[in-house]
Structures are given as structure tokens and as C-alpha cells.
Amino acid sequence: VQAGVCIREFDRTKRGIRISRVWFDGKTTTQLAFAPIDGATKDNRAIDILNGDYETTARFAPGLYLFEAHLDFPQLPYMHPTQLLKPSFHHLVSLQPDPVQSLSFLCTSKKILAGAWRFLTYFGRDSMITFLLLNSILSEGEHGAIEIVLSAVLERVCHIDGSVCHEENIGDYPAAQAALHREVESEPQYDYKMVALTFAHSFRQRIDPSQVDTDFFLPIAMKQYLVDTSVGQPGGQTAYKNLVALKDGQPVGQWRDSNDGLGGGRYPYDINTALMPAALRAIAELARAGAFQEEDGWNDLANRRASVWETLSINFFIVKFFSRFLNESFFDPAVTDAGQVKIPRIEAQQRLERYKSSGAFPGPSRMDQIDEDLCLQAVALRDDGSPIEIMHTDASLDILTSSILRTFPAGLYTSVGVLIANPAYSCDPSHAQTFTTGAYHGTVVWAWNSLAMLAKGLEVQLCAMIAAEKTGIDPVTTKSTDPNFYNNVRAKMKLAYKKLWDVIEANARHLSEEVWSWRWDGDARLDRDNDKGGFVYAPLSHLPTPDGARQTESNARQLWSLAFLAVERRRELEV
């Protein structure tokens, strides 16, 4: 350590020196600067630098000195007292300013620290005891002090055996330990006092069997929050925050991976309503097959969680209508339950007319095809939980069936294929400008998503309904089937299946392409019975992008567009 200390003059006029040392991580630097205050010393040689054979020494003459300290180690932002305390306890800021300011100094946006100047780091036990003693006054909910405490504890739980981290070693010490072991990394070291690990793990996870209490505080703290407080209970907070979101700072994170593919949404529909429950069901089946022999109960646990996602997640994405705000863009998460699940037919028709009158589409509005109230599922949710009101092909099959049977802009169908998105019903006028025929994930056709996968999905669903009709048992609910319901739904799906395959076969020469678009030919003959005419195939690269940037050229051959090698028309399902 001493060999790394550097002492230099930094201001000859003030006769000052700077003492610095680069940490073992090779980038962080600690600096101390000293300069004599004028007239404070008896001679002009206030500080002498003595260079010896093995070390450099600074000798200070008696007097007064001004010193500055600088450290470029990254610091977490501290919580302001008003962020730290519940609103009903903000009066403590003025009544007890010293302890409140001290608490604020020790509470950062990611964890709370145990003390100052010693122990200025995370201690699990200290954090949880503080929570148990102060939970009545600490702020709750997202970004609140209580969730910061508990999330910091949970994030540092040992991934090997679930032990709770007692202490986090940060700063120069982990780097020094890494240097001793000829390592170059300087990540924090987590101290699991109760864990009996192998020597290979002992470097980063320091072992001291004398401390055993930290593990037992966690369930007590979790119960205090999740059971004894209304905010911690399921539904106590804004529950949509429990959904899977895009990663922080990233505008993309699923297959609609252009910047505007989700319309500014953060919580994608498909991940939360389809992929998550499907993944859980798959884990359950793997567990049942013996893939996780060390984990008892994963089959039942994964199935239970899948049922929760299947039942509840889709409710967040249903676009609700508030009649008292007719013709206005409105969403207030606080009064979501007051809205209707469906958009009234008249309102849906008015939105189509607004979309057409905006100049976004030169053809007919097809408002005559809206013969009932419209059920719309958002393509994603914004940060505040409000829906992105874009009709899309990731929706559930019952919704998609109606979308296929209706021609754009009333639905998703065109004579060149089924479109992956339709902004006609959005209350946000900017969506009409971003979801265009020239947008990579706009009003365009993707062979794998809006044709192949949709055809396969309808095939699987029709086969399941045929089987259910034979047995009289619904395979999902395991209850007796309703013959009238099944007949009506199946009849509608058969029409959609036939119409979809007709357009697939009509555009067979394009099926191996990645994505294609269309232009509207106003001179083409319109046939309202079979929706032919008007829509004309156009390569995506031939159309302008919404922002005027260089256009994306579609692949002539796309891997997932080759799915039609295995996806085939089954005409017996149309009977």
C-alpha cells in the first residue's frame, strides 16, 4: 500500500502538496491536498518532501493548513428526508433535524448503510433491525425506504443455499483481496456468516460461523411487510409493477424490437400473458419428468404460478373505456375499475373516422364492419400502467379472430396479408404517425408472426375445441363444455382460419421474406364482399420511414419465415 502513495507539490505559490494513491482496482484514486494558510508558519518552508530510499515523507512545520480530500469512487444518491419518511411524519424533519439528517445520510437509493465513519456499508442484520424498529415512519411502496431495505437484502441472498448476506465489503478491500489471489476483478465481497462453503468460494464469501442470526431476521421482516401492511400485500401497490418490463434504459426487449415497435410501452403484452405462463408450464412438465430432482414440489409450484399469470395478467392489457370522457384521450390508473371492458361500437366507429380524417389512410374506414362493441388488448403498458391502444397480432385468439375477419383499418386483414399492428383505435394521435406502412413494426406484414404462427395457433385451438366437443370437458377449466358457446366460437374461428389461409396462399411468393408492406391504389376496383383491391404489395424498402431516416430493407429469405415448411392448411378444420 505504502509503495503506491505519491507525494507531489501542486501549487508552488501556496507551497502545497498533494498525496494520492491509486487503488488496487487500477482506476479509483484517493487524494489529499495540503496548503499552509498565509502567515501560519514561521518560515517559507512549511512542508518539506523528503525522498528516501524506500519511501517518500512529507514533513509539516508547525502552523495552520488548509486541506481538501477527493475520492472518485462512485457514490449512490442519498434519500432526501421527505423521501425517507411517510408524509404523516415529515414534521420530524424540523422537530428532530439531527437524527433525521443522520438517517438520510445513511439511506441511499439502493441500500442503507450501517454507520459512519466506520461500517459505512451494507449490513443485512442492521438493515432489517432498523426496518423492524422504524417501519411505522419509513416511506412505503416503490422507491420507498422500506422496499429499498428489503430489496437490498433479497438481492444479496446467496445463490448457493439461500443464506442472507451479513455484510458487503466494498471499496479498496475487495480489490486488495483480488490482488492477493492474482485476480483482476474488484466486485463487492458478500459475507455469509452461516454458510459452510468450499475453499473455492471462500475468497468472495468470507466465512465466520460465529454469526448466525441474520438469516432469521429476513422471514420476520418479510412477514412484517407482506402480511402486516396493506401496501406490502398483493394488490396493495400498483400491481402492474409485478409484470415483466423491458430492461431499464432499453426501448426494446421482445420481437417488436424497433424503437417504436411497442409505441413507447414498457410492459409487453406477449411476454406477460403468453410467454411467462408458457415458460412456467414448461418448468412444471420438466419437473414432472424428473429434470429437477433436487427441487421438490416444482411441478405443483410452477403450475400454480402459471395459473395466476394466465388468469390475472391479461386483465392489465384490456383497454377500458370511460364514457364520461368520450372522444378524449384518458387513462387514470386510480379509477381503472370504473371503466367498461369493451369500447362501445359508436366510439370505435368515431375513432376510425378520426384516424381516416387524419390522413393516415386514404381508403375507406370500414366502420360498417364494427357491428358490436370492440374488445381491444393493448400491445404494451406504459410506465404508469396505462395501455398502448394498438390492435396487434400478439393478442389472444378470440380477439384475433375478430381482427382477421375485419379489414384494415377496422381490423388487421388486407389482401396482402394480416398486419401486425393497427393504430386506428388509439387515442394518442402520435401513433398514427409512427405505426405506418414504412415502419419496421408498423402496419406491415411479418410472415412468421401474422401468418405462420397465427395459422398454427388457430389450428391448435380448433383441434382442441373438436376434442373438447367429443369429451364434453373443457381442457383448460376441466369443467363441462357449453355447447352453444363452443359452436359460436368455433364457427367464428373456422371463418378466420379459412380467410387467413386464403390470403396466405394468395401471397405465397412472399412467404419466405422477412417483412413486407403495401400501398393503397385508389383506382383499383374494390370488392367489398371479398376485400380484394386497393391494397397492393410493396417492399418495405420502397416506402418512407416515419422519421425520414434511411429505410430498412427486408431480408429476401428469413429463417423464421420458413415455418411454412411445417405449417400447412388443414381443410378439414374449415368444415
Side-chain angles (χ1 to χ4, degrees):
V1 174
Q2 295 302 320
V5 175
C6 178
I7 303 177
R8 290 191 177 92
E9 287 185 333
F10 76 92
D11 190 334
R12 290 184 178 275
T13 60
K14 294 182 179 180
R15 305 177 308 282
I17 65 168
R18 178 178 286 113
I19 304 173
S20 63
R21 187 179 73 82
V22 177
W23 289 16
F24 285 102
D25 62 8
K27 54 186 178 182
T28 306
T29 303
T30 303
Q31 297 184 21
L32 288 173
F34 296 87
I37 297 176
D38 291 342
T41 57
K42 297 181 179 179
D43 55 44
N44 291 330
R45 298 191 57 160
I47 307 174
D48 288 325
I49 298 177
L50 307 176
N51 295 311
D53 293 336
Y54 301 102
E55 60 183 14
T56 302
T57 303
R59 180 177 296 169
F60 293 78
L64 297 177
Y65 295 84
L66 180 68
F67 75 92
E68 296 179 355
H70 175 75
L71 174 67
D72 57 8
F73 187 75
Q75 302 293 313
L76 292 171
Y78 293 95
M79 296 189 72
H80 188 273
T82 56
Q83 296 175 301
L84 180 65
L85 302 175
K86 292 177 181 176
S88 57
F89 288 92
H90 284 181
H91 63 278
L92 295 177
V93 177
S94 56
L95 288 180
Q96 301 187 53
D98 185 69
V100 169
Q101 193 61 43
S102 298
L103 186 62
S104 174
F105 174 76
L106 295 174
C107 291
T108 75
S109 61
K110 297 294 184 182
K111 57 188 175 183
I112 63 174
L113 312 176
W117 59 272
R118 298 178 65 228
F119 310 122
L120 192 64
T121 187
Y122 163 89
F123 277 75
R125 176 181 57 198
D126 301 50
S127 298
M128 289 184 282
I129 290 176
T130 301
F131 155 68
L132 292 170
L133 292 172
L134 298 181
N135 69 82
S136 62
I137 68 171
L138 294 178
S139 57
E140 300 174 317
E142 187 180 15
H143 305 307
I146 289 177
E147 291 216 350
I148 288 173
V149 171
L150 295 179
S151 61
V153 174
L154 293 173
E155 287 169 1
R156 291 163 177 80
V157 168
C158 178
H159 70 279
I160 298 173
D161 70 349
S163 296
V164 179
C165 175
H166 170 68
E167 179 184 357
E168 179 182 49
N169 293 320
I170 59 174
D172 205 22
Y173 181 74
Q177 292 295 302
L180 289 175
H181 290 77
R182 301 185 184 277
E183 301 273 354
V184 295
E185 57 186 280
S186 57
E187 295 299 317
Q189 293 179 6
Y190 298 116
D191 188 341
Y192 302 99
K193 297 292 187 183
M194 197 176 173
V195 187
L197 299 177
T198 64
F199 179 77
H201 296 108
S202 63
F203 159 35
R204 291 182 184 84
Q205 298 164 347
R206 314 296 291 177
I207 309 306
D208 181 353
S210 64
Q211 300 287 335
V212 299
D213 59 355
T214 306
D215 284 355
F216 298 97
F217 277 107
L218 180 56
I220 298 171
M222 296 299 292
K223 179 263 181 183
Q224 175 73 33
Y225 185 54
L226 296 178
V227 177
D228 295 345
T229 69
S230 58
V231 175
Q233 293 176 7
Q237 301 182 56
T238 308
Y240 72 88
K241 288 291 187 179
N242 294 322
L243 297 172
V244 179
L246 301 181
K247 292 184 177 181
D248 291 343
Q250 297 295 327
V252 299
Q254 49 93 257
W255 83 269
R256 298 173 188 264
D257 55 356
S258 56
N259 287 345
D260 294 317
L262 292 176
R266 299 293 302 164
Y267 299 87
Y269 174 95
D270 62 337
I271 292 176
N272 286 284
T273 66
L275 296 180
M276 173 62 85
L280 288 168
R281 294 291 185 199
I283 291 172
E285 288 301 306
L286 287 169
R288 190 170 65 87
F292 311 110
Q293 296 183 7
E294 296 180 358
E295 304 294 341
D296 294 333
W298 273 26
N299 180 17
D300 292 338
L301 178 61
N303 273 321
R304 288 199 304 271
R305 293 185 176 180
S307 296
V308 171
W309 281 87
E310 289 166 346
T311 304
L312 301 180
S313 64
I314 199 168
N315 295 330
F316 294 99
F317 295 88
I318 295 176
V319 175
K320 296 189 177 182
F321 176 76
F322 300 83
S323 59
R324 65 185 183 277
F325 293 97
L326 191 64
N327 299 327
E328 295 183 15
S329 175
F330 173 78
F331 181 86
D332 182 354
V335 294
T336 299
D337 291 339
Q340 300 180 40
V341 171
K342 293 184 177 182
I343 301 174
R345 178 178 60 83
I346 294 176
E347 168 66 12
Q349 291 175 336
Q350 290 175 344
R351 293 189 186 189
L352 282 178
E353 283 300 315
R354 286 199 298 269
Y355 178 72
K356 176 176 168 53
S357 63
S358 71
F361 178 61
S365 67
R366 308 280 184 174
M367 61 182 295
D368 58 299
Q369 296 186 6
I370 306 299
D371 54 1
E372 61 183 355
D373 295 346
L374 184 72
C375 188
L376 187 66
Q377 293 171 343
V379 71
L381 304 181
R382 297 181 179 88
D383 267 332
D384 64 359
S386 61
I388 305 295
E389 301 168 311
I390 302 295
M391 183 180 285
H392 59 95
T393 48
D394 298 337
S396 58
L397 280 177
D398 56 335
I399 303 298
L400 275 175
T401 299
S402 298
S403 300
I404 296 170
L405 294 175
R406 293 178 177 135
T407 304
F408 181 82
L412 295 172
Y413 178 86
T414 75
S415 56
V416 300
V418 176
L419 308 181
I420 66 165
N422 176 5
Y425 298 102
S426 175
C427 289
D428 185 344
S430 69
H431 287 156
Q433 309 304 317
T434 54
F435 286 86
T436 68
T437 56
Y440 194 50
H441 294 99
T443 51
V444 296
V445 181
W446 281 70
W448 81 272
N449 174 269
S450 57
L451 297 180
M453 191 168 71
L454 188 49
K456 190 64 178 179
L458 285 171
E459 173 192 323
V460 171
Q461 188 61 45
L462 283 169
C463 289
M465 296 187 76
I466 292 172
E469 287 176 345
K470 292 179 179 178
T471 62
I473 301 297
D474 187 303
V476 176
T477 64
T478 67
K479 297 179 180 178
S480 298
T481 59
D482 181 344
N484 292 329
F485 172 80
Y486 263 64
N487 289 336
N488 293 335
V489 173
R490 184 184 170 194
K492 198 172 182 180
M493 282 192 175
K494 285 195 298 184
L495 289 175
Y497 184 78
K498 181 181 185 304
K499 189 171 186 177
L500 176 62
W501 269 107
D502 286 346
V503 78
I504 289 173
E505 292 177 349
N507 292 274
R509 63 188 182 278
H510 305 304
L511 294 183
S512 60
E513 297 178 22
E514 175 191 13
V515 53
W516 63 87
S517 190
W518 53 274
R519 58 181 177 83
W520 181 259
D521 186 353
D523 296 329
R525 181 180 65 86
L526 297 182
D527 186 338
R528 291 187 179 273
D529 292 331
N530 57 24
D531 296 313
K532 291 182 179 178
F535 298 100
V536 179
Y537 168 88
L540 182 63
S541 58
H542 291 190
L543 299 170
T545 62
D547 58 2
R550 182 176 179 274
Q551 183 53 275
T552 300
E553 182 177 352
S554 169
N555 280 337
R557 295 291 183 271
Q558 185 77 3
L559 177 63
W560 54 18
S561 296
L562 303 178
F564 284 102
L565 287 170
V567 180
E568 298 178 320
R569 187 171 192 168
R570 295 178 56 179
R571 292 191 180 273
E572 72 273 16
L573 298 178
E574 302 171 17
V575 178

